[in-house]
Amino acid sequence: PPPPPPLPTAEENAKKAAALGVQTPSYTTLRSGPGWEIRELQPMQVVECSYERRPEGYELLGGYAQRGENSAQLAMPATAPCLMRPLARPKTMWYMLPAPHTPLDPAATPVPPPTPLADDMLACKSVEQLVVAVACFSGYAVPDVVLSARDRLIASLSEAGVELADGAAVEGLLLAQYNELFALPWARENEVWLQVRPETVAG
């Protein structure tokens, strides 16, 4: 198979997000290898739903965040990526909530988000600091492509002596998508995230 594409640096990602007016989670790169890196992410406030088909999840989350379907009737600025657990049962999808709910300064105290109007289908929650291994791929995030990217990442981590957290490869697998639902395949930016054991990260 072709080598995985190189990952942009945290600084490059931050500059790109700022140019697009989109907030992304802050992170520190703890270690990297060919086509992969390990990130320590800031704590996040997210809105979450279960889904069967991705457009259903996008519609629910977009209603809460972009169309103000919340107790404050507040339309929020855009964030990225959209995060999914496609192998969990039920499958779940998150949007990171923007500042001040997920502060631009990771050391700041987050402001509690407004309650979803559809509180039977949506929930806001705190996601504590994650340590994840990341690999990127482009094109459609169909199951075979996602699982192939996951398996290559697992092999690279094994060679590097980095251990996965319990359940990370299946129900814990996170798919991160940075583009709109109808973006053209060559313009789609995707990542697979696998939680790792922090004590095994040091090379």
Side-chain angles (χ1 to χ4, degrees), residues 135-149:
C136 65
F137 63 97
S138 58
Y140 288 117
V142 295
D144 287 351
V145 175
V146 174
L147 294 180
S148 178

Side-chain angles (χ1 to χ4, degrees), residues 49-176:
C49 70
S50 300
Y51 72 97
E52 284 299 322
R53 297 173 59 83
R54 288 181 201 170
E56 299 166 359
Y58 294 138
E59 179 68 18
L60 279 170
L61 298 179
Y64 170 86
Q66 274 89 53
R67 296 193 298 278
E69 295 171 8
N70 54 65
S71 59
Q73 298 183 342
L74 176 67
M76 302 179 186
T79 65
C82 175
L83 288 161
M84 288 159 265
R85 293 193 189 274
L87 301 182
R89 293 294 179 268
K91 296 184 285 187
T92 57
M93 182 182 291
W94 308 341
Y95 275 1
M96 183 185 81
L97 298 176
H101 312 299
T102 299
L104 295 173
D105 178 359
T109 300
V111 172
T115 302
L117 297 184
D119 59 2
D120 56 333
M121 295 183 286
L122 293 168
C124 295
K125 70 175 190 177
S126 299
V127 176
E128 297 306 314
Q129 193 171 57
L130 296 174
V131 179
V132 293
V134 178
C136 65
F137 63 97
S138 58
Y140 288 117
V142 295
D144 287 351
V145 175
V146 174
L147 294 180
S148 178
R150 177 202 64 178
D151 292 345
R152 289 195 302 271
L153 178 56
I154 290 173
S156 295
L157 295 173
S158 179
E159 290 179 7
V162 178
E163 297 179 13
L164 297 181
D166 292 342
V170 185
E171 63 269 19
L173 168 72
L174 283 164
L175 169 64

